[in-house]
Amino acid sequence: MICGLYIPNFDNTVRIVTERRIRSLHEISRCINRSLTQERVVQDALNGMQQSNPRDMQFALFYIAENADRDTWPGGREGTFSDGTPDLSRRSNRHGSFVGGKPHQSLSSLRSESIASSGYQDSGVTFRLVGSYGIEIRSNKDDVPLDFLSVPDDIEIKSPHPINPITRLVRQVKSQDSALFLPDLTEIPSLASLASGNPFNDPPGAAIVLPIRSSLEDRLHGVMLLGLNTRAPWDEEYSNYVQLVKGLLATGLATMKLHEEDLARARYMAALNRQKNEELQSLLTHRTEELKTSELKFRSAFASCPAAIWIGDPDGSIWDMNQAYFKMSGLSANASLDDWIHR
C-alpha cells in the first residue's frame, strides 16, 4: 500500500544557488566592515560564512601569515611550533603584525613596525591559526597545527616529527602561490574525522586550499582551507563564488594591514617627536644651568675685583658698579648710579 510520495529537493537550481551565494557575499562583507584588527577580519568573516552559507562552505581553517625575520636564521631561538618545527623567528619582544604597538617600545621596534614589509616570498613566514568553524580544534593534539614555519627553499628546517598534512598543504600553496583543489580528504584523514556534520549529514567531501593575496599589494595575508558542498559540482560558477569570497577576505585584510601600518607610523612619529622634545628640554635645562653658573662666576669676579669697574650704555647710563668703584667715587649703594657724572 502506497501512503505517499517523497521527493527530496537539494535546492540545486541555478536561481536558488545564486541567490544563496549572493546573500552569503553580502553577509561576509557586512561582517568584515565591523572589524578593527586583522584577526577580527578573519573571525568575523568566518562567522558570516558559517551563518550565511554552510552548504557551500561546510568548514574552514584560516592560517594568517606573519613575516619572520630572516636574520635570525640559522642560529635559531628556543621553542618549537605545534608541529615540532623549531621556532627560528620569534623574539622575546615580538610585536607581530596584527596588534598595535606595546607600551615601552623602543624607537627601533616602532620604526620596524611602521615599515610595510611586502617581500614575503623572500623571507620566512609563520602561519598561525586565527579562525575556524566546522572543525574540532584540540589544542593538546597534533591533528590541526596551531602554528608552523614556512621558509624559502634555500633554508632547510628539520623537524623531529612527521610533517602534518595540513602544514604540508599550506606550505605547498604558499610556495606555488595558487589554489590547490582536493577532490576528497584522503590526504588529511585526521581532518575528515574532526569535521562536524554538514546540513546534509554527509561525510566531508572535497576541499580547496587558497592563498589569500590582495590585488591592492603584493603580499600574502594567509591561507584558507575550505570544505566544499558534498552535493554540488566543482564547476566554474562554484569556483567564481569561492574566488569572490577570497577577494573579500583579501581586501579586508589588506585594508586593515595598511591601517595598522599607518597607526604604527603615527606612533613612531609621535615617539620620535617626544624623544626630540625631551632632548631639547634636556639641552635647554643644561644650557640654563651653564648660564647660571657663568653669571655666578662673573658676579663673583665683578664684586671682588680690587679695580673700580662700572658697566653702562654708550649714552652714559650706568647699569652697575662694583664695591671698589663705590669706594673710589664716594657714592653710597642707595645713590643714583648716574650721579657719577656730577663728581
Side-chain angles (χ1 to χ4, degrees), residues 69 77 89-96 102 104-106 108-110 113:
D69 296 331
R77 298 278 176 179
S89 61
R90 297 182 177 180
R91 302 177 185 225
S92 59
N93 64 341
R94 174 187 179 193
H95 51 267
K102 309 298 189 299
H104 310 299
Q105 278 185 296
S106 65
S108 59
S109 66
L110 282 167
E113 187 184 58

Side-chain angles (χ1 to χ4, degrees), residues 286-297:
H286 179 68
R287 294 301 186 191
T288 302
E289 292 298 326
E290 286 184 344
L291 181 60
K292 288 181 179 179
T293 302
S294 177
E295 184 178 0
L296 181 61
K297 290 180 179 179

Side-chain angles (χ1 to χ4, degrees), residues 2-196:
I2 299 176
C3 298
L5 182 63
Y6 171 65
I7 303 177
N9 181 6
F10 299 128
D11 65 349
N12 57 359
T13 62
V14 174
R15 182 178 66 85
I16 294 296
V17 172
T18 302
E19 289 178 353
R20 182 178 70 227
R21 291 173 177 174
I22 290 176
R23 287 196 303 269
S24 175
L25 292 171
H26 175 75
E27 179 64 17
I28 294 170
S29 178
R30 186 185 68 83
C31 291
I32 289 177
N33 287 336
R34 302 178 304 183
S35 307
L36 299 177
T37 65
Q38 282 198 313
E39 289 187 355
R40 289 305 307 174
V41 167
V42 173
Q43 294 162 5
D44 291 341
L46 294 186
N47 184 55
M49 291 163 60
Q50 182 182 22
Q51 294 180 359
S52 62
N53 193 0
R55 288 180 172 85
D56 291 328
M57 296 177 288
Q58 296 184 357
F59 61 84
L61 294 172
F62 196 102
Y63 288 92
I64 207 158
E66 297 175 325
N67 197 28
D69 296 331
R70 186 168 181 170
D71 59 4
T72 64
W73 305 337
R77 298 278 176 179
E78 294 182 358
T80 59
F81 291 97
S82 59
D83 66 344
T85 304
D87 185 350
L88 304 185
S89 61
R90 297 182 177 180
R91 302 177 185 225
S92 59
N93 64 341
R94 174 187 179 193
H95 51 267
S97 56
F98 305 100
V99 184
K102 309 298 189 299
H104 310 299
Q105 278 185 296
S106 65
L107 284 178
S108 59
S109 66
L110 282 167
R111 183 175 184 276
S112 299
E113 187 184 58
S114 70
I115 299 175
S117 175
S118 60
Y120 278 95
Q121 296 300 329
D122 297 327
S123 60
V125 176
T126 62
F127 286 99
R128 182 164 55 91
L129 183 66
V130 295
S132 67
Y133 69 84
I135 298 292
E136 180 185 358
I137 305 297
R138 300 181 292 188
S139 58
N140 60 339
K141 299 292 184 180
D142 296 331
D143 303 315
V144 178
L146 303 181
D147 52 16
F148 52 89
L149 180 66
S150 181
V151 299
D153 296 335
D154 60 337
I155 300 295
E156 181 181 0
I157 300 296
K158 295 182 179 180
S159 172
H161 306 286
I163 297 178
N164 185 284
I166 297 177
T167 300
R168 177 176 51 79
L169 290 173
V170 172
R171 287 175 175 171
Q172 180 179 347
V173 167
K174 180 258 181 184
S175 176
Q176 297 176 353
D177 195 24
S178 61
L180 180 63
F181 176 73
L182 305 175
D184 54 57
L185 296 182
T186 54
E187 295 187 45
I188 323 175
S190 60
L191 187 63
S193 65
L194 296 174
S196 59

Side-chain angles (χ1 to χ4, degrees), residues 211-231:
I212 307 300
R213 183 184 294 276
S214 172
S215 59
L216 299 177
E217 53 182 350
D218 184 21
R219 178 182 301 177
L220 180 68
H221 294 287
V223 172
M224 181 171 63
L225 191 154
L226 186 65
L228 302 178
N229 194 330
T230 55
R231 302 196 179 188

